[in-house]
Amino acid sequence: MKIGIAVFPGSNCDRDVHHVLNNVVGLQADFIWHTKDRISGYDAMIIPGGFAFGDRLRAGIIAAHSPIVQEVKRLAKDGMPVLGICNGFQILVESGLLPGALLMNDSLRFVCRWTKVKVQNNHTPFTQAFSKREEFNIPVAHGEGRYVATPDIVKDLKKKNQVVLQYSHDDPNGSTDLIAAICNEQGNVMGMMPHPERASESIISASGSGEAIGIFRSLASFLEQRAVA
Amino acid sequence: MGVLTEGELRYLQEKLGRPANEVEQDIVGAEWSEHCSYKSSKKYLRLLPTKGKRVLVGPGYDAGVLDVGDGYVLTVHIESHNHPSAVEPFGGAATGVGGVIRDIMSMGTRPIAVFDALRFAPIEGKSKQAQKSRWLFKNVVKGIADYGNCIGIPTVGGEIEFDPSFEDYCLVDVASIGAGKKEEVISNRAEVGDFLVLAGGSTGRDGIHGASFASKALEAENRSAVQIPDPFLEKLLLEATMEAVRQGCVKAIKDLGGGGLSCCLSETSDSLGRGFDVELLKVRAREAGMTPNELMISESQERMLFVTDAQKLPELQSILDKYEIGYSVLGKAEGHENLTVRHAGKVVADMPSSLVAHAPLADRASKRPAYLDRLKKARQPRPANLGRALLSLLSNPTIAGKSWVYQQYDHEVGVRTVVKPGAGDAAVMRLDNGKFVAAKLDGNSKHCYLDPYQGTLGCLSEGVRNVVCTGAEPIGVVDHLQFGSPEDPEIFWTFAQAVNAIVDYCNFMEMPVVGGKVSFYNETAKGAIKPSPVMGTLGLIDDKKWITRPALGHGDTIFIVGETRPEMGGSEYYEYVHGITGGPVPQVDLATDRANGAAVMKLIRNGLVTCAHDCSKGGLAVALAEMAVAGKTGFKVEMDKAPSTCKRADELLFSESHSRYIVGTSKPAEVEQLLKS
């Protein structure tokens, strides 16, 4: 099983995700440069955090028009698991793979700190290792992390069980309904603002536990089950 | 342009055997500025101990290189951007971060952490001055955050101090550490015929005369001397440089900072021992009609010089193309020893590189300042309500928690941050060989003002205590020496005292100085800043079991190591609570300092303590309160059990005597036994 990590000029967390997948989870992961418009041989794609294209114009907008994202859109339609983290979430929203928008935090400042999220949907490829309503520690680090959508979209997201994670300890950015992660209707595309790769090893976890590794373990077990089936 | 003194012009003419033309004068003017040449400080800096078993490259290069074992190295550098930040805090601070990061990259290593030490005038209250300080503070922090966050290097530590001597001004020091493989450290060599590739940002009229601007007192807001930051471009340069290093296609790297191409080309040519012949029309100019002078001294940011050979040039070009980084081949390394600069083929400057790179040193007069005697004795304050004094100190911006600052910095990116901002006495980062580096910046302008020698010893002692408290063994320091004009003998005396202190402390502790920077002319119309040396201390932790934090455990027995003396001069209690400046500052006894540090390190490494904390600004009371807050637990201590020569309770609680540590343990008998031995 192989995971592709999309790399844009300005991606920052690509190497961190690569480290966790290869050295901690034990999944093979490769970097894929943004100019690539055909991807084959990969079972899932991760769009990591950072400042793709320096967040010029608007966070995620230029990357959303890159060749690799057009290919990711095609693969997502075929059911490939796609995870966008932080700036990756912003890119997925800008590309239309996920609804809503990510706006400036209500504090009007960048915020980097540890918080907690609660799992509201544990039937996605990225959350199946968690139990429903399980809480875990994870850090955020973003300037534009406030999830916003029209009331109709939010209602729809809830109805279709697309709110995957909610902030449960405090409110780091003013997101609608404390939304930290959502998925598409099919559940194979998920975007999240907090950084699971920074909370997957106990040594660097403020909580000392590294429980967010469940996001990547979920993906590993999902791919295994699918391979067996 | 008049940057060079008459004496310097005469010296230049004598060495050249002819008068220097205008372009040459501008090139030399930039390189011989105090900022680039260290002409006032060099004689003193030569006294610093720079050798040690781990030191691979010492001061004088873009960054110091330390061997951390198993084929891995650590690089470190410190810089300041005081003048630009005082005029344009956002851009000034941001480009400061950019510059220090490029220094780490120039050694072929990847920056893994940024640190900042900031100094402002007091920010409390409604006065115009406080408002201005808040504006500077807010925008400096935002500048550092925007740059570091965007480039993906965590800002993990530092310190902030507020003092009226920084009115209308600020000190913005940024340090960075890098990590890499020993075999990939850039060896910096060049053969005749090698290519000089200038890559990164285009060259514009921003930052013209920046180095000269920083080598004078701040008189007017010279905004054109402040550079414009572009962290996205720096990020591309970082990745391209790392790829080029990995593929072995660069022989030497030099970043462009103060003095622009003038300093970069002359210093690189001189250190490589090769002449350079460059064509200025090849420089990618941002605007039309730039003169040779402007091209040579522009300090436009995010530029790097790479030296490569004909065989590797195409590979370097393809890496730069991949990242869509602009570049041009400026010229070649030559068999002669000159820096030859052409414009449209015509030679516009031609001077020996070594002449340009080595300014004639200035002899500065030095005289003990008169104020020192006046401030030796201070009136003793009437004992305050101790509880209220403690609360006042804890809410003092210099001492209070700094989460408003560090939560704006991405301090987690890179997945190396083990001890995080606010959670320890120093930041602890994990390295690729399974070891950990602890690092901290420390300064104390109040102590250094009253006694520059003891104050500087104190900064070093505090740095060592901070890294020791995390479980680390100190392995080296970088120094950043910030003063007013070196032409003022009283100010120059304080500089010399600070250097003497570093020499004495580092020699005694056998701790090498691996890099540093001197920044003079930190003055405004209102006067010079207080002497503000800032020390960056690095420590190494071999085993993750040793990593220690200050959070007090419930039920812990509390020990204090070290003696408290009535040394109240420059203490936050005197200055912040009572508004008193003066009195005897804490003295460092080198042997005691070493013994106490070694004892605490032994306690930690034998697994005998649950927490450890250094005792400094605000004294024992503040240190204990910080441990209790971190551990979310209360405590009861009997203060008369603390070793002390204080007669007053406020002195015992708030004195800032050095060489003191507080540890918590669940094994009090064993701790007592070890400390007794």
Side-chain angles (χ1 to χ4, degrees):
Chain A
M1 276 170 306
K2 250 171 39 170
I3 317 291
I5 300 171
V7 184
F8 302 92
S11 293
N12 280 342
C13 307
D14 45 336
R15 300 167 71 251
D16 299 354
V17 172
H18 187 265
H19 159 73
V20 169
L21 288 174
N22 285 290
N23 305 333
V24 185
V25 181
L27 278 173
Q28 193 199 326
D30 302 327
F31 297 120
I32 307 177
W33 192 236
H34 66 112
T35 50
K36 197 135 171 115
D37 57 7
R38 279 281 167 268
I39 298 171
S40 61
Y42 288 90
D43 302 287
M45 281 297 295
I46 295 182
I47 305 183
F51 288 71
F53 297 96
D55 273 3
R56 302 276 158 86
L57 293 183
R58 192 166 75 221
I61 182 77
I62 299 178
H65 290 85
S66 64
I68 198 172
V69 170
Q70 311 323 306
E71 174 72 349
V72 167
K73 278 169 143 172
R74 199 179 61 76
L75 296 168
K77 208 184 274 173
D78 295 343
M80 177 186 275
V82 175
L83 172 64
I85 302 166
C86 198
N87 190 221
F89 187 6
Q90 294 163 340
I91 293 167
L92 290 179
V93 166
E94 291 292 349
S95 71
L97 276 168
L98 293 172
L102 290 150
L103 304 186
M104 189 74 203
N105 301 339
D106 58 358
S107 66
L108 303 183
R109 286 195 298 271
F110 188 95
V111 60
C112 173
R113 63 179 167 89
W114 283 72
T115 182
K116 275 185 182 178
V117 292
K118 188 184 271 187
V119 178
Q120 298 297 8
N121 173 355
N122 65 340
H123 296 289
T124 77
F126 309 102
T127 52
Q128 64 173 29
F130 296 100
S131 48
K132 189 157 159 87
R133 277 188 270 285
E134 185 173 340
E135 277 186 296
F136 61 92
N137 295 285
I138 192 164
V140 293
H142 53 240
E144 290 92 9
R146 179 164 57 100
Y147 183 78
V148 170
T150 62
D152 286 352
I153 292 176
V154 175
K155 213 166 115 190
D156 208 42
L157 285 174
K158 284 188 188 161
K159 200 172 87 195
K160 293 175 178 156
N161 204 16
Q162 285 172 251
V163 175
V164 186
L165 303 172
Q166 275 177 306
Y167 299 109
S168 59
H169 178 64
D170 54 11
D171 177 3
N173 51 34
S175 290
T176 306
D177 277 359
L178 296 167
I179 287 173
I182 57 168
C183 64
N184 62 355
E185 221 177 310
Q186 295 71 36
N188 64 311
V189 178
M190 181 169 105
M192 64 189 296
M193 279 320 290
H195 285 273
E197 77 279 10
R198 300 180 182 185
S200 290
E201 297 165 274
S202 57
I203 182 86
I204 54 161
S205 292
S207 62
S209 57
E211 314 131 276
I213 198 171
I215 298 281
F216 302 112
R217 290 247 160 88
S218 294
L219 178 60
S221 65
F222 174 84
L223 294 177
E224 254 165 54
Q225 287 156 5
R226 204 172 59 173
V228 172
Chain B
M1 154 66 217
V3 173
L4 294 170
T5 65
E6 267 175 46
E8 285 169 344
L9 272 175
R10 261 199 314 276
Y11 174 86
L12 185 60
Q13 174 163 358
E14 197 180 294
K15 291 282 169 184
L16 284 176
R18 60 175 170 84
N21 67 33
E22 238 182 78
V23 178
E24 290 171 334
Q25 283 187 33
D26 266 358
I27 294 172
V28 173
E31 177 63 21
W32 289 6
S33 65
E34 187 64 56
H35 182 82
C36 297
S37 70
Y38 296 84
K39 61 188 170 196
S40 300
S41 57
K42 219 171 210 168
K43 285 180 194 165
Y44 290 82
L45 300 179
R46 285 188 187 132
L47 304 171
L48 298 171
T50 57
K51 296 208 163 55
K53 59 178 184 197
R54 295 186 184 278
V55 183
L56 298 175
V57 177
Y61 288 85
D62 281 345
V65 184
L66 286 161
D67 190 337
V68 291
D70 314 300
Y72 288 89
V73 297
L74 203 62
T75 50
V76 58
H77 192 58
I78 188 164
E79 286 263 357
S80 65
H81 241 202
N82 303 337
H83 270 57
S85 301
V87 174
E88 208 282 84
F90 179 87
T95 49
V97 175
V100 79
I101 285 172
R102 285 195 302 281
D103 286 323
I104 298 295
M105 284 155 57
S106 298
M107 304 308 291
T109 54
R110 180 179 281 276
I112 62 165
V114 169
F115 301 79
D116 54 354
L118 311 176
R119 284 174 165 72
F120 305 92
I123 51 169
E124 293 170 286
K126 289 192 179 134
S127 69
K128 273 241 152 63
Q129 186 55 52
Q131 285 176 27
K132 170 146 194 210
S133 299
R134 283 200 291 273
W135 174 77
L136 284 170
F137 180 32
K138 191 175 150 186
N139 286 289
V140 161
V141 168
K142 190 157 190 341
I144 293 168
D146 271 24
Y147 207 98
N149 295 353
C150 184
I151 194 171
I153 299 165
T155 303
V156 298
E159 52 129 32
I160 305 173
E161 205 175 46
F162 299 91
D163 186 274
S165 80
F166 305 114
E167 228 176 77
D168 281 336
Y169 200 69
C170 57
L171 297 187
V172 176
D173 301 353
V174 244
S176 180
I177 55 176
K181 290 185 184 154
K182 198 170 169 177
E183 66 200 26
E184 285 177 355
V185 172
I186 292 295
S187 56
N188 281 320
R189 64 204 157 79
E191 269 72 51
V192 174
D194 282 355
F195 292 99
L196 308 171
V197 181
L198 179 64
S202 53
T203 301
R205 289 194 171 102
D206 59 323
I208 294 273
H209 291 306
S212 312
F213 167 59
S215 303
K216 280 189 295 212
L218 187 63
E219 283 157 0
E221 297 199 351
N222 187 354
R223 271 174 213 271
S224 68
V226 182
Q227 309 84 349
I228 301 159
D230 182 356
F232 176 55
L233 180 54
E234 179 116 335
K235 166 71 175 171
L236 300 180
L237 262 183
L238 166 65
E239 296 307 328
T241 304
M242 291 301 110
E243 212 164 303
V245 168
R246 222 165 29 235
Q247 297 187 20
C249 51
V250 285
K251 292 166 117 176
I253 309 178
K254 177 84 178 168
D255 95 288
L256 277 82
L261 272 174
S262 294
C263 294
C264 172
L265 291 174
S266 64
E267 289 174 19
T268 311
S269 165
D270 175 57
S271 70
L272 297 176
R274 299 272 174 226
F276 283 175
D277 194 327
V278 298
E279 169 56 68
L280 286 179
L281 283 187
K282 299 277 187 190
V283 175
R284 290 172 310 109
R286 198 175 297 160
E287 29 200 318
M290 285 183 72
T291 63
N293 309 47
E294 288 174 329
L295 290 166
M296 283 305 286
I297 62 174
S298 158
E299 294 183 11
S300 290
Q301 295 289 293
E302 288 87 26
R303 295 183 298 164
M304 296 286 267
L305 180 76
F306 297 106
V307 179
T308 188
D309 57 28
Q311 196 197 339
K312 292 284 188 182
L313 180 64
E315 208 173 330
L316 177 63
Q317 286 171 318
S318 76
I319 293 170
L320 293 169
D321 287 338
K322 172 185 164 186
Y323 289 96
E324 298 178 42
I325 296 169
Y327 62 86
S328 55
V329 178
L330 290 191
K332 286 184 180 178
E334 300 289 343
H336 54 69
E337 289 171 351
N338 274 18
L339 174 59
T340 309
V341 181
R342 297 170 195 273
H343 192 255
K346 183 175 159 248
V347 174
V348 292
D350 194 11
M351 299 175 283
S353 300
S354 66
L355 171 63
V356 183
H358 299 278
L361 300 186
D363 263 318
R364 302 294 187 196
S366 149
K367 187 178 144 235
R368 189 170 183 277
Y371 77 83
L372 288 176
D373 287 330
R374 203 176 65 237
L375 294 176
K376 224 174 201 168
K377 273 215 174 101
R379 70 176 168 91
Q380 291 211 341
R382 246 184 284 168
N385 175 318
L386 296 176
R388 216 175 291 155
L390 175 58
L391 287 178
S392 164
L393 284 172
L394 289 173
S395 62
N396 168 0
T398 297
I399 288 174
K402 304 293 188 292
S403 60
W404 182 85
V405 176
Y406 62 71
Q407 287 186 354
Q408 294 185 59
Y409 301 150
D410 187 342
H411 49 260
E412 301 277 354
V413 63
V415 293
R416 292 182 185 274
T417 318
V418 176
V419 175
K420 301 175 195 297
D425 282 18
V428 176
M429 310 291 293
R430 70 171 163 186
L431 300 172
D432 291 337
N433 61 349
K435 293 177 183 171
F436 303 84
V437 58
K440 182 72 171 70
L441 299 181
D442 290 289
N444 193 321
S445 307
K446 293 181 170 74
H447 287 175
C448 291
Y449 175 63
L450 297 175
D451 187 337
Y453 179 80
Q454 286 294 336
T456 306
L457 284 184
C459 298
L460 286 153
S461 166
E462 188 182 345
V464 165
R465 296 199 300 274
N466 281 323
V467 303
V468 163
C469 282
T470 65
E473 177 199 358
I475 57 169
V477 295
V478 289
D479 60 332
H480 193 331
L481 306 171
Q482 302 168 105
F483 299 84
S485 166
E487 296 161 45
D488 177 334
E490 295 200 342
I491 289 174
F492 197 69
W493 185 86
T494 65
F495 161 77
Q497 288 286 303
V499 175
N500 287 344
I502 301 170
V503 170
D504 290 349
Y505 193 89
C506 291
N507 275 331
F508 190 84
M509 303 294 167
E510 294 173 38
M511 195 165 64
V513 179
V514 294
K517 178 96 190 133
V518 180
S519 165
F520 284 125
Y521 299 99
N522 292 292
E523 329 195 318
T524 65
K526 288 177 180 159
I529 60 160
K530 288 183 177 175
S532 300
V534 166
M535 308 303 306
T537 312
L538 293 174
L540 197 62
I541 305 171
D542 288 345
D543 188 334
K544 71 175 179 190
K545 284 203 307 279
W546 298 341
I547 297 172
T548 305
R549 294 173 175 82
L552 193 61
H554 189 67
D556 279 357
T557 304
I558 299 171
F559 281 77
I560 164 110
V561 179
E563 188 179 69
T564 306
R565 296 181 296 256
E567 303 166 311
M568 305 306 287
S571 66
E572 292 297 323
Y573 177 69
Y574 262 34
E575 301 247 356
Y576 186 79
V577 178
H578 292 288
I580 300 171
T581 298
V585 309
Q587 309 280 305
V588 177
D589 178 79
L590 294 175
T592 307
D593 199 66
R594 183 166 62 186
N596 291 1
V600 171
M601 198 157 35
K602 206 163 172 190
L603 288 175
I604 291 174
R605 296 190 166 187
N606 286 341
L608 295 179
V609 304
T610 52
C611 56
H613 191 28
D614 142 62
C615 193
S616 55
K617 284 175 189 145
L620 262 175
V622 163
L624 284 165
E626 286 171 343
M627 294 177 80
V629 170
K632 295 190 174 81
T633 181
F635 64 90
K636 194 172 89 185
V637 289
E638 288 185 40
M639 292 303 291
D640 44 2
K641 287 196 175 162
S644 158
T645 58
C646 297
K647 294 202 175 69
R648 294 168 56 136
D650 54 354
E651 291 174 348
L652 176 57
L653 284 173
F654 305 123
S655 163
E656 297 177 6
S657 291
H658 290 297
S659 318
R660 293 180 302 162
Y661 297 81
I662 303 173
V663 297
T665 178
S666 55
K667 300 165 183 164
E670 288 167 70
V671 169
E672 207 166 341
Q673 200 181 2
L674 192 145
L675 288 177
K676 268 185 187 151
S677 70

